Amino acid sequence: MKKLLATSIAVLGLGLVLAGCSSKSDASNGGLKVGILQVVQHGSLDEARQGFKAGLKAELKAHGKSTKVTYHYLNAQGDQANLNTMSQQLVQQKNDLLVGIATPAAQGLAKKTTSTPTLVTAVTDLKSAGLVKSNAKPQTNVSGTSDLTPVGLQLKLLASMAKGKLPLGVMYNSSEENSVLQVKLAKAYAKKHNLKLKVVSATSTNDVASVLAGLTGKVSGLYLPTDNLMASAMKTIGAKAKAAKLPVVTGSIEMAEDGGTATYGINYYDLGKQTGKMAYDVLENNKKPQNMAVQTSKKLHLYVNKANAKAIGLQSNQIKEP
């Protein structure tokens, strides 16, 4: 009896060891679970999310994996209380990987767990957002892709489109850390290249129209960084800008599609795909975010909203890469 009991314990112990060495796909017994938290719904972030899923799917297929991936997607609709609650919910679901789309969502997840692997996208500077120790070597459970745009080149593009000697306008949300960083870059570029800027801030969708009205007649063009508030208000901004015959250069292509005149920047779908490739390494190759350098997009595209350009008196062939 004692011998039989000892044998049973030994077999059980071996089973536990084998279970501990299994892949995440096997351990989940039905595939992988990925929790996605998005701060708000707008074109750029939606594209990043779709790109992420496509990127992970493509990597699994390329490596002959038939692993099922279940996504738990939550959108906070710009509400801080929602971000807190939803972050906690996704952590408690024991997802194999968490994904934060935009800085507030990434920070919300990072506050709730220091152990669950977390990738982020559409975050301008992970280090300044407190998500990593350094972008080259995160040393936290977080890594991902940065959407830092070529602010200087975008201002140069706007200057080439603007008419008259009035300064270039810059409108942003001063409560968004990533926007503050981009405005600093814009000011530095303007100083170096002798461009005059008039910088204003709006902190809610209700403020956008009134702040923009205050700029009308005082600027020769408008620059909008990759700012979640500005992105959400692009239809309003676009209508006001067209009425004022004001060229608008945006931080992202999706913002330009929704109401801007043009931009020179990254494609958020492609950026999401890069993040999806990183996710494959975490989920299937057991790589740790703390050792994965933050990536940036190497592809830049000139996008012209032909209808909006024509409405303010510009032909699309007049707008060239900066």
Side-chain angles (χ1 to χ4, degrees), residues 22 28 40 54 63 172 211 267 271 300 306:
S22 63
S28 60
V40 72
H63 291 85
Y172 75 112
V211 171
N267 181 295
L271 191 70
L300 295 176
K306 295 180 180 179

Side-chain angles (χ1 to χ4, degrees), residues 198-227:
K198 185 173 179 60
V199 181
V200 295
S201 174
T203 56
S204 73
T205 51
N206 294 329
D207 291 340
V208 170
S210 60
V211 171
L212 183 55
L215 284 176
T216 305
K218 298 177 182 178
V219 296
S220 57
L222 181 64
Y223 176 65
L224 305 171
T226 51
D227 180 299

